[in-house]
Amino acid sequence: MQDKNLLLVEGNDDLHVVLAIQGQRSIRILDKQDIVSKGGIDELIESFPVYLKSSGIRVLGAIVDADTDLNNRWLSLRNHLIEAGYKNVPETPNTGGTVIESPAMSILPRVGIWLMPDNSTTGILEDFLRYLIPQNDALFSHVEASVNSIPETEKRFSTLAKPKALIHTWLAWQMEPGRPLGLSITAQFLNQDVPQVDLFVAWLQKLYT
């Protein structure tokens, strides 16, 4: 069986963001069929050790949200790596994205992990995308004021989901309202020419090449 490169992601938004960033950077590291949407963090972590031990995988990447506890999220993946036989797994994630080589004399894949938003702080995909909104964007200031003004008794989203509310409200106020996240990068509403995306692309290139 030909060796495959796979990237596990929590959901379709992550998948389309990765593809859109590649398109805007004019690079082709992964095709759509190489990116596996697991439908949630629990499903991704549960399947992670299965993919580690699957035959025919040359490189296995995973993009997961740090959520409210980056250390716990990292440990849940790190423990699976150690149990599978990986050596020199760092105690904390690399700020530029973690890449772990397969052990010598092993058929285990090279592994890469990116913890959204930046491998060092808590948050989710939308926190990463916040970096792609132009600095000092006046419209986003109005969005923040609007979202922050919602009375607690009327707020229908959790604190963790607030970045989603901010990003999607901002996108709803664009010239073409309501574009999905990936298409918003393609349409250049979200500007991928920022250092945070440079780091992310460098991680992808180091992992899969």
Side-chain angles (χ1 to χ4, degrees), residues 67-119:
D67 286 341
T68 59
D69 192 337
L70 180 140
N71 290 331
N72 185 60
R73 180 71 78 234
W74 171 252
L75 287 176
S76 65
L77 296 167
R78 183 177 187 268
N79 289 340
H80 283 314
L81 289 166
I82 292 173
E83 289 172 5
Y86 286 84
K87 310 297 182 184
N88 302 316
V89 183
E91 293 187 4
T92 58
N94 189 306
T95 56
T98 303
V99 175
I100 302 164
E101 297 296 333
S102 57
M105 307 299 292
S106 167
I107 62 171
L108 292 169
R110 180 193 303 158
V111 172
I113 297 171
W114 183 280
L115 290 169
M116 286 290 177
D118 57 10
N119 301 291

Side-chain angles (χ1 to χ4, degrees), residues 6-204:
L6 291 181
L7 175 64
L8 308 181
V9 297
E10 292 187 36
N12 286 328
D13 279 341
D14 308 81
L15 183 155
H16 289 292
V17 164
V18 172
L19 292 176
I21 287 174
Q22 287 188 152
Q24 289 300 294
R25 292 294 179 103
S26 299
I27 56 176
R28 189 172 180 178
I29 300 169
L30 296 165
D31 292 324
K32 186 175 181 179
Q33 64 266 25
D34 302 323
I35 307 174
V36 182
S37 172
K38 298 305 298 180
I41 184 60
D42 292 337
E43 292 80 2
L44 190 155
I45 291 178
E46 183 178 349
S47 67
F48 186 62
V50 177
Y51 281 97
L52 288 176
K53 297 174 184 177
S54 297
S55 62
I57 299 178
R58 184 183 76 91
V59 181
L60 179 65
I63 298 174
V64 300
D65 290 341
D67 286 341
T68 59
D69 192 337
L70 180 140
N71 290 331
N72 185 60
R73 180 71 78 234
W74 171 252
L75 287 176
S76 65
L77 296 167
R78 183 177 187 268
N79 289 340
H80 283 314
L81 289 166
I82 292 173
E83 289 172 5
Y86 286 84
K87 310 297 182 184
N88 302 316
V89 183
E91 293 187 4
T92 58
N94 189 306
T95 56
T98 303
V99 175
I100 302 164
E101 297 296 333
S102 57
M105 307 299 292
S106 167
I107 62 171
L108 292 169
R110 180 193 303 158
V111 172
I113 297 171
W114 183 280
L115 290 169
M116 286 290 177
D118 57 10
N119 301 291
S120 59
T121 57
T122 57
I124 59 178
L125 171 67
E126 285 76 9
D127 289 296
F128 174 79
L129 295 177
R130 173 65 183 87
Y131 296 129
L132 279 64
I133 293 177
Q135 288 189 350
N136 303 316
D137 183 82
L139 182 60
F140 193 76
S141 297
H142 290 298
V143 168
E144 287 184 303
S146 179
V147 171
N148 289 336
S149 70
I150 300 173
E152 287 298 324
T153 55
E154 298 179 21
K155 191 178 294 182
R156 300 179 184 178
F157 53 87
S158 66
T159 300
L160 180 62
K162 183 178 179 181
K164 291 179 181 286
L166 291 168
I167 288 288
H168 287 287
T169 300
W170 185 78
L171 290 174
W173 292 357
Q174 299 301 312
M175 186 176 297
E176 298 177 40
R179 278 181 176 249
L181 299 176
L183 288 178
S184 296
I185 295 173
T186 302
Q188 300 183 19
F189 296 151
L190 293 167
N191 173 27
Q192 53 76 41
D193 189 20
V194 294
Q196 291 82 4
V197 174
D198 292 342
L199 281 174
F200 179 70
V201 170
W203 171 75
L204 285 175

